[in-house]
Every structure is written in C-alpha cells, then in structure tokens.
Amino acid sequence: MPQMTGLFSRMAVLAGSLAGMIALWWVVSMIYATPRIFPDPVVVFKLIVSEIDSGRLPYHLWQTLKRVAAAFVVAMVLGSVIGVMLGTLPRLNRWAEPWVILAQNLPALVVIVLCYLWFGLNDLSAIIAVAFNKTALVIVTLREGARAMDRKVAEMAKVFGMSPMQRLRHVVLPQLAPFMAASARNGLAIIWKLVLVVEFLGRSNGIGFQIHLYFQMFDVARVLAYSGAFIVIMLLIEYLLIQPIEAKATRWRQLQGKITV
C-alpha cells in the first residue's frame, strides 16, 4: 500500500510538472503571437496526429530508435567490460588512461565527420560514431565502480567456495549495478541527442533528418512536432524502464542502511 501511494504521488508530481511546462509554452506562444515563429501546443499536437496518420512519424521514429538502441547496447557492453578491467587492473589502467582521456574529450562532431568519411554515409558509421562517444563515459563510470567494490566481500565469497559465475552474479554485479544504472541513464540522454545530430548531418531518414528537412523550410511547427514526439518516447523510457531498473539496482543499499541502523 505505501508503494502504491508513493507511485501515485510521483505520477501526480510528474503530471503537474508537465502541465506547468505546457502552460509556460502556451504563454510564450501567446506573447509572441506569431504561429510561424513559435506555434502553440494545439498546433503542434495537431501536426503530430497528422504525421502519425500519414505514417511518416512512426517510420522515422522507428529508424531513430533502432540507431539509439544499437549504439546504446554497444557502448554499454564495451564500456562495462573495459571499465571493470581498468578498475581491477591498475597496471593496465595506467597504460590505457591516456586513451580514455582522449576518447572522453574528443569532440563528438569530429568523430561523426571522420566516421562518415571513413565508412560512408550509412547506419554503420552512425552507430560507431555515437557508440564511441558514449563508451568512454561508461568506461570512466564503471572503472570507479570497480575500484569501489568491497574486496573483503570477494575474499569471503572465495572462502565459501563460490564459483566464478556465482561470485559474478551475487557479489560483483550487485555492487556494480548502481554504476551501471547511472551509466545507462546518462548514456541514453547523450546517445539520443547524438543520434539526432548524426541523422541531421548524413542520413536519409530518422527524426534528425526530418528536423533538418523542416529546418530548411523554416517550418518551426513541424520541427517542434517531431522533436516533441521523440521527447515523449524518451520520457516514457526514462520513467517506465530506466528509473525502475535503477531503483531495483540500488535497493540493496537501502536495505543495508536499514540493517545497519
């Protein structure tokens, strides 16, 4: 019962916050009073419905989500493996640290342009460019997570004869879970923005491509319609997927605090 009350409370706060955002949008649109420059929410909503009915919005949204998912999986897998290795092997970390710093600070635009020049204007280039920019951030986060692991717990697991897979499942992953959840949340926020840039610069479909198309036509309403539709999807992923996973990943720490108290 308390969990349901907390859920309804969070949903009420979310609904109120979004309503306030839309109200502010409406006020600003009324102040400008120029639909071509700053259309109101009703105009944008009608365009979203129209684009959905035509099939254009679902098609381009699906193309973008495929690229986001592919880049996200590649970045999380590679970044997690490399980050844990660097966090547990100090000598390897000393050798690899300049590479990580370079990858972390290399401008995303440079990586995108180079990938398009090297691999062509295709989805492979887009996914590599986006995943590269995110992988470095995952490495840094998971490296710190590996360093923060309790070595005594790992030693105790060996004493009790746990197999490597059991230690990974019951000792390592629970301690790394909060860092992986943080990487997933921050990574998703970065990746979908980079995917739009990649599509803006060199793809023939996707939300970024459509925004570029309507930017050239100076069609602000359709730019907002495609942007808004994609933002709604990202909000749903955040609240229905990322936050529940993060809450589950950090639940053991809350239980640990209660036991300590």
Side-chain angles (χ1 to χ4, degrees), residues 31 53 84 103 106 111 131 150-151 192 201 212 231 237 239 248 260:
I31 293 173
D53 288 340
V84 172
L106 193 64
V111 177
D150 193 336
R151 308 298 177 188
W192 77 262
L201 292 175
H212 185 208
I231 289 171
I237 293 175
Y239 284 100
K248 187 174 182 180
T260 304

Side-chain angles (χ1 to χ4, degrees), residues 21-79:
M21 189 184 303
I22 294 174
L24 178 61
W25 177 3
W26 209 313
V27 170
V28 174
S29 67
M30 291 176 63
I31 293 173
Y32 275 93
T34 51
R36 182 173 175 81
I37 301 298
F38 203 94
D40 62 60
V42 174
V43 172
V44 175
F45 179 75
K46 288 180 179 179
L47 282 175
I48 292 176
V49 173
S50 173
E51 293 296 305
I52 292 175
D53 288 340
S54 69
R56 288 188 294 268
L57 179 55
Y59 168 74
H60 290 288
L61 183 60
W62 173 241
Q63 298 303 317
T64 297
L65 289 177
K66 286 195 299 184
R67 294 177 185 121
V68 169
F72 179 80
V73 171
V74 171
M76 287 300 298
V77 172
L78 287 179

Side-chain angles (χ1 to χ4, degrees), residues 15 21 33 43 47 63 75 96 108 115 130 142 144 149 164 170-171 177 187 192 200 204 210 212 214 236 239 244 246:
M21 189 184 303
V43 172
L47 282 175
Q63 298 303 317
C115 284
V130 176
L142 268 295
E144 295 306 313
M149 287 194 300
H170 299 291
V171 177
W192 77 262
F200 192 97
S204 59
Q210 288 296 96
H212 185 208
Y214 293 122
L236 291 174
Y239 284 100
E246 185 179 31

Side-chain angles (χ1 to χ4, degrees), residues 157-220:
K158 289 183 179 179
V159 170
F160 279 96
M162 296 178 68
S163 67
M165 287 302 299
Q166 287 176 324
R167 293 200 298 270
L168 176 65
R169 180 181 176 184
H170 299 291
V171 177
V172 176
L173 289 181
Q175 295 186 75
L176 291 179
F179 296 91
M180 296 180 71
S183 294
R185 166 179 279 180
N186 296 332
L188 188 63
I190 293 172
I191 283 175
W192 77 262
K193 296 170 188 174
L194 290 177
V195 166
L196 294 190
V197 174
V198 167
E199 292 175 344
F200 192 97
L201 292 175
R203 299 306 302 124
S204 59
N205 51 43
I207 299 296
F209 169 77
Q210 288 296 96
I211 290 174
H212 185 208
L213 175 66
Y214 293 122
F215 161 75
Q216 293 176 317
M217 300 178 180
F218 204 76
D219 191 340
V220 177

Side-chain angles (χ1 to χ4, degrees), residues 92-106:
L92 177 62
N93 180 64
R94 285 195 295 271
W95 282 96
E97 189 171 24
W99 295 70
V100 176
I101 294 173
L102 175 64
Q104 192 175 9
N105 291 279
L106 193 64

